[in-house]
Amino acid sequence: MPCHRVRKVTSSDIAPSLCTTESHLLRMETKAAAAAGRRAHEGCDSDIIGWFEDACENAGAVQAEVLRRILAANRGTEYLSRWLGDVEVEGMGACALESLYRSRVPLASHADFEPFIQRIADGDTSPVLTQEPVQLLSLSSGTTDGRQKYVPFTRHSSQTTLQIFRIAAAYRSRVYPIGEGGRILEFIYSSKQSKTKGGLTAGTATTHYYSSEEFKIKQEKTKSFTCSPEEVISSCDYKQSTYCHLLLGLYFADRIEFITSTFAYSIVQAFRAFEDHWREICGDIRDGGLSPRITVERTRQAMLGIVSPNPSLAQRLEAACEELERKDWCGVIPKLWPKARYVYSIMTGSMQHYLTKLRHYAGGLPLVSADYGSTESWIGVNVDPSLPLERVTFAVVPTFSYFEFIPLHRQKNRSRSKNSEAIDDDFAEDEPVPLSQVKVGQEYEIVLTTFTGLYRYRLGDMVEVAGFHKHTPKLSFICRRKLILTVNIDKNTEKDLQLVVERGSQLLWKAMGELVDFTSHADISKQPGHYVIYWEIKGEVEEKVLGECCREMDASFEDHGYVVSRKCNSIGPLELCIVETGTFRKILDHFIGNGAALSQFKTPRCTSNQVLLSILNVCTVKRFYSTAYS
Ligand code: AMP
């Protein structure tokens, strides 16, 4: 592997000085960093952009240094010793260490780390994965592959969250400057935290972040403050939190600069709730009261301490809502929040489905896609916030983790291997390459080595390199790599399904119906197996139209294995199940009940989870079978 001939990387390249706080790993050392620190404390966006651009310019060398730091900090841990023995990390050059690490430490999945993480959860304080004891465990949403996973969470995790939010805010404010001291209507939610057997606190990564110092610092540094107090964010009842977010958002309506959530789903669900509760909310603003539906005492107290009677605002809002209701809430956001400059949230990947509804609510207001990350590590930032959503990419932040990329090559007509591996899909893999060696146009699976004790960890996301920002790749998110729909030789990914559902739902839109949400299942309980797609729809749509939607979807799967199998009937006709209103809300409630947070919720696009399937099947009110290929 070629070494990077660039200037020596210092600590200030690894972390912007204003975010260094206590972490010794991220401490500033150089005069340059101190100077950067002074400038940064003046709250200047250009400083954080300058720091980030510098890191991107030297991305290859920064990455080698990040790896050296991770390994130096965790030398002698049980996991690393197993593979690296007692290699003197300190004495090695960053490039040599990078080669050694990649040749000795194997690629791993969450299952490989699970026994180690379990021991940590059970109270083992020996250096298992990291030298510094892990205090917090994060729970991934589990909604992408149906299983929630614990991963270590450290101060570094909160610090990188702060950093990415600051970088993104700085780029956004170049295009959409916002006033100092403005308010943000943020649909954010903490989940319940729990204690593991060993006494560690476990919760979602967003929950840890919202209760961290960094969340407060972020508001100061980005000069914008969330409307809702901590008591609302952490009420642990998402319906009550949503009501309060909306109420406060309207109470401060004239000061709201933008509307945001982690994933776009949360904004859509909030406005669906608003359609039902707006009269009550306006009533609360008029009287300075609070609906009895808010039962969490500390949330009630906090809300009542903020909202005082404002009859004129309530009257104005009521008049606007009456008019909006007649227009099916089209353009509700700019109408009620006249100063809002944009809507900001993750809108890529499985969130694409909610864009039609989000655009409907947002009127002409720009939709800005937020950044790319996971419970395991933040990955990339949207440095071109004005680009249309179809072209959104994420510039990898080279300081956050050590990133590798497994090249994936699409294989045509590969039949399913008998010895199915963990990942059985249509891609052949090449050897992983470091960040500095990725190629534009190539698809990859991301591999992470994190400051929190995950080493060469396969994230399971598939991305394509769309270009470069300086020398760091800009990634476009494709989908979760895990194969989702397969009966025999067919293989369809989440992305394939998304396209097919889009085609089918166009017919629905033409018939004035709306697709609220969807999921799917490969039913192999009977021969021949077949795909089942579940739709929750809004509006009265004729059965004939739904039958056409079903046929259109079946005919739209382009996967060769599927087409061939359908033609010879080794896969049966696609089944479209229409589920009753509120079914996907029940699915959400099921996940929330298991400790997921609304902030991280993603509807699983394919499921074989028995609880979910039983909810879906009990709620099915109509079934259609495709006539394509008949
Ligand atoms: P979680 O399980 O909650 O940690 O979710 C992390 C996963 O959400 C990632 O691995 C991605 O699959 C997905 N994700 C996160 N950010 C984005 C994004 N900007 N675009 C598309 N998908 C994303």
Side-chain angles (χ1 to χ4, degrees):
M1 190 189 67
C3 272
H4 321 280
R5 250 186 274 134
V6 285
R7 69 170 171 76
K8 190 172 181 309
V9 176
T10 66
S11 300
S12 60
D13 291 318
I14 307 297
S17 51
L18 62 163
C19 307
T20 48
T21 53
E22 284 89 15
S23 168
H24 69 278
L25 266 178
L26 305 177
R27 199 173 298 140
M28 295 185 298
E29 290 159 3
T30 63
K31 275 189 185 166
R38 278 195 300 280
R39 278 181 287 131
H41 279 295
E42 288 159 23
C44 195
D45 283 347
S46 58
D47 279 324
I48 189 97
I49 290 185
W51 167 83
F52 175 65
E53 302 261 313
D54 226 27
C56 294
E57 186 66 53
N58 298 291
V62 169
Q63 277 280 278
E65 177 62 14
V66 162
L67 180 66
R68 198 189 61 73
R69 281 169 179 250
I70 293 174
L71 299 182
N74 297 310
R75 183 170 161 246
T77 54
E78 191 179 323
Y79 190 86
L80 279 181
S81 299
R82 179 183 283 191
W83 306 109
L84 291 180
D86 48 10
V87 168
E88 284 290 338
V89 173
E90 297 292 357
M92 285 183 80
C95 289
L97 188 60
E98 202 177 353
S99 301
L100 180 84
Y101 175 72
R102 292 175 355 96
S103 64
R104 289 230 196 140
V105 178
L107 292 174
S109 66
H110 189 271
D112 299 306
F113 287 100
E114 215 157 51
F116 296 93
I117 297 174
Q118 191 57 53
R119 277 172 47 203
I120 294 170
D122 290 345
D124 188 339
T125 51
S126 66
V128 179
L129 293 172
T130 51
Q131 280 293 352
E132 264 189 52
V134 174
Q135 311 282 2
L136 296 170
L137 287 177
S138 288
L139 203 54
S140 76
S141 64
T143 49
T144 38
D145 64 5
R147 213 167 58 87
Q148 289 180 287
K149 295 172 289 191
Y150 278 128
V151 293
F153 184 98
T154 65
R155 187 73 195 273
H156 184 270
S157 319
S158 292
Q159 287 175 329
T160 52
T161 305
L162 171 60
Q163 284 171 19
I164 197 159
F165 286 174
R166 290 210 55 227
I167 300 167
Y171 279 98
R172 276 200 321 281
S173 72
R174 283 178 163 186
V175 188
Y176 308 108
I178 57 168
E180 223 168 283
R183 296 254 177 182
I184 324 169
L185 171 51
E186 250 183 316
F187 293 102
I188 50 177
Y189 306 82
S190 291
S191 64
K192 282 199 180 76
Q193 289 183 321
S194 60
K195 287 281 178 202
T196 66
K197 190 173 144 200
L200 276 73
T201 303
T204 58
T206 42
T207 303
H208 296 323
Y209 171 66
Y210 297 139
S211 58
S212 73
E213 195 53 31
E214 280 74 14
F215 179 57
K216 291 185 201 114
I217 300 174
K218 179 216 121 187
Q219 306 197 52
E220 280 150 28
K221 294 292 179 192
T222 56
K223 295 177 249 141
S224 38
F225 297 84
T226 187
C227 290
S228 301
E230 186 272 331
E231 292 86 348
V232 168
I233 298 166
S234 67
S235 87
C236 290
D237 177 319
Y238 76 90
K239 290 175 192 152
Q240 296 191 31
S241 296
T242 300
Y243 186 95
C244 296
H245 284 319
L246 286 163
L247 171 51
L248 292 174
L250 286 172
Y251 188 71
F252 295 113
D254 291 339
R255 289 160 66 185
I256 298 293
E257 302 272 357
F258 64 95
I259 291 176
T260 185
S261 68
T262 311
F263 287 96
Y265 172 86
S266 305
I267 302 183
V268 170
Q269 81 81 30
F271 282 98
R272 287 196 204 280
F274 185 67
E275 292 182 23
D276 294 334
H277 302 316
W278 65 272
R279 281 183 199 282
E280 214 172 335
I281 291 174
C282 289
D284 284 348
I285 292 175
R286 188 181 47 242
D287 308 335
L290 189 62
S291 157
R293 68 175 70 245
I294 309 305
T295 56
V296 178
E297 197 44 40
R298 56 193 284 274
T299 308
R300 277 197 79 78
Q301 291 311 322
M303 288 295 291
L304 290 169
I306 298 172
V307 182
S308 50
N310 193 337
S312 65
L313 173 62
Q315 197 181 14
R316 195 154 41 90
L317 291 171
E318 265 165 351
C321 287
E322 267 157 23
E323 190 192 326
L324 284 161
E325 194 174 41
R326 285 193 291 276
K327 295 196 297 182
D328 192 25
W329 302 98
C330 179
V332 54
I333 296 177
K335 180 81 184 173
L336 299 186
W337 289 278
K339 274 201 178 158
R341 306 286 315 269
Y342 55 89
V343 178
Y344 179 61
S345 189
I346 293 176
M347 298 177 190
T348 36
S350 62
M351 293 300 125
Q352 278 173 41
H353 165 67
Y354 307 105
L355 291 186
T356 313
K357 195 67 183 175
L358 196 55
R359 285 198 171 101
H360 177 81
Y361 287 137
L365 216 57
L367 300 184
V368 181
S369 194
D371 310 305
Y372 174 30
S374 64
T375 302
E376 291 84 347
S377 170
W378 278 103
I379 297 165
V381 60
N382 178 2
V383 294
D384 308 299
S386 57
L387 280 186
L389 297 178
E390 309 74 56
R391 290 174 48 208
V392 169
T393 59
F394 308 100
V396 176
V397 184
T399 57
F400 283 175
S401 286
Y402 177 70
F403 299 97
E404 291 173 83
F405 297 84
I406 304 175
L408 301 174
H409 305 283
R410 284 174 195 265
Q411 299 191 126
K412 286 257 181 302
N413 309 338
R414 191 168 69 106
S415 61
R416 195 173 178 182
S417 117
K418 279 221 174 86
N419 307 323
S420 251
E421 305 140 25
I423 293 167
D424 178 16
D425 62 18
D426 250 0
F427 299 98
E429 295 180 358
D430 263 345
E431 283 301 303
V433 296
L435 176 144
S436 55
Q437 286 176 30
V438 296
K439 296 204 167 57
V440 174
Q442 173 66 51
E443 292 175 332
Y444 297 94
E445 180 185 341
I446 295 185
V447 175
L448 300 169
T449 294
T450 69
F451 282 92
T452 57
L454 301 174
Y455 305 97
R456 306 198 84 204
Y457 172 99
R458 298 176 79 130
L459 184 62
D461 280 354
M462 212 177 123
V463 296
E464 180 179 326
V465 175
F468 283 90
H469 183 75
K470 310 279 180 189
H471 290 107
T472 201
K474 289 208 280 190
L475 309 176
S476 70
F477 181 88
I478 299 190
C479 60
R480 293 291 295 170
R481 182 174 169 196
K482 196 164 167 270
L483 177 66
I484 63 159
L485 273 173
T486 180
V487 167
N488 48 49
I489 59 164
D490 54 308
K491 293 171 180 71
N492 280 296
T493 64
E494 182 177 354
K495 177 96 180 170
D496 300 323
L497 176 70
Q498 177 100 35
L499 292 172
V500 160
V501 169
E502 243 169 66
R503 296 279 290 275
S505 62
Q506 275 162 16
L507 303 179
L508 189 71
W509 283 101
K510 281 190 195 141
M512 308 304 281
E514 180 190 328
L515 180 59
V516 174
D517 221 329
F518 71 94
T519 188
S520 67
H521 171 61
D523 183 358
I524 45 168
S525 61
K526 289 188 217 91
Q527 284 301 321
H530 71 293
Y531 293 180
V532 186
I533 296 183
Y534 296 90
W535 274 11
E536 180 175 326
I537 61 174
K538 200 173 152 191
E540 290 302 315
V541 181
E542 282 178 38
E543 301 217 340
K544 193 170 137 246
V545 174
L546 293 170
E548 278 166 22
C549 295
C550 177
R551 203 201 67 81
E552 177 71 17
M553 288 195 285
D554 199 12
S556 298
F557 279 106
E558 285 178 2
D559 168 58
H560 185 73
Y562 186 76
V563 174
V564 169
S565 304
R566 282 289 292 117
K567 281 184 179 160
C568 68
N569 204 33
S570 63
I571 294 183
L574 183 135
E575 180 180 350
L576 171 62
C577 292
I578 306 296
V579 295
E580 64 193 22
T581 304
T583 303
F584 281 83
R585 176 58 64 94
K586 287 184 187 155
I587 290 177
L588 168 67
D589 288 342
H590 167 74
F591 277 102
I592 301 278
N594 283 345
L598 184 60
S599 280
Q600 282 174 245
F601 181 75
K602 302 163 215 60
T603 298
R605 293 301 179 211
C606 178
T607 187
S608 46
N609 176 317
Q610 287 311 316
V611 181
L612 260 53
L613 286 175
S614 81
I615 297 175
L616 290 161
N617 290 327
V618 166
C619 295
T620 295
V621 287
K622 284 179 193 160
R623 285 175 202 276
F624 300 88
Y625 291 91
S626 162
T627 52
Y629 302 100
S630 52

